[in-house]
Amino acid sequence: AQSVAQPEDQVNVAEGNPLTVKCTYSVSGNPYLFWYVQYPNRGLQFLLKYITGDNLVKGSYGFEAEFNKSQTSFHLKKPSALVSDSALYFCAVRDRYSTLGRLYFGRGTQLTVWP
Amino acid sequence: ETGVTQTPRHLVMGMTNKKSLKCEQHLGHNAMYWYKQSAKKPLELMFVYNFKEQTENNSVPSRFSPECPNSSHLFLHLHTLQPEDSALYLCASSQTREGLSEQFFGPGTRLTVL
C-alpha cells in the first residue's frame, strides 16, 4: 500500500534561516513524489515533483527537495526562509504503475516563518 | 490561477437542503477528482473520474452524488448532509499520462452544514 508520513505537524523557523520539511514514503516499486503548498483559504498549489533522474529537484519559489531512496525520504528544503513561505505543506506519492494518477497525501506540516 | 475553478467558494446549508458544487477545468485534462479536507485530518479522496467515467468511489456516503457530464466539468450534488460533513471540498484535475500527473487544484468550496 502507498503511504506518506510527515512526522512534524509544525515547523517554526526564523526568516533568513534554512528550512526543512520532512517527508517519508512507502510505495511498491519506484515512486513519483510531489510537494504541494496551501495558503489560507486556498487550494493546493504544486511546488515540485520527482520522477526520475537527479535526486535534487528544484521547484517554485526557491524550494527544492532531495530524494533519498535508501531512506525513503523526500524532504523539502529552502536555503533562506521568507515570512511569506508560512503555509501548510503537503507531501504526496503516486504509484508509478497507477494509470489514474491517484495521489496519497501526508497529513500536512504547518510552516511558520517568523520575522 | 491554476486553471481549475470552483463555485461557490462558500456555502452554508441546512441538513434538509439540496445543493451542488461545481468544478470546471480549462487545462484539457482527462481526469478529475473530488477531495474532502477537514481540520486535523489528511486529505480524503472521494471520487475519481477518468474520461467522464467514475473509476473510484472511496466508500463515500450516498448523500454525496458526483456527476461528470464531460471532461471539463465535475459536480458534487449534496443532500441531507450532516454537520460532520462541514469541510473544504477541493476539486482537482490531471492529465494521466505516465509520469506527468501532478494534479491541479481549485480554490475549494468551504461548506458549513448547520
Side-chain angles (χ1 to χ4, degrees), chain A residues 36 42 49 94 100 102, chain B residues 1 33 56 101-103:
Chain A
Y36 286 82
R42 303 286 292 276
K49 66 182 177 183
R94 177 200 147 178
L100 296 176
R102 182 183 178 178
Chain B
E1 296 177 6
Y33 312 78
E56 197 155 345
S101 62
E102 63 262 35
Q103 294 178 14

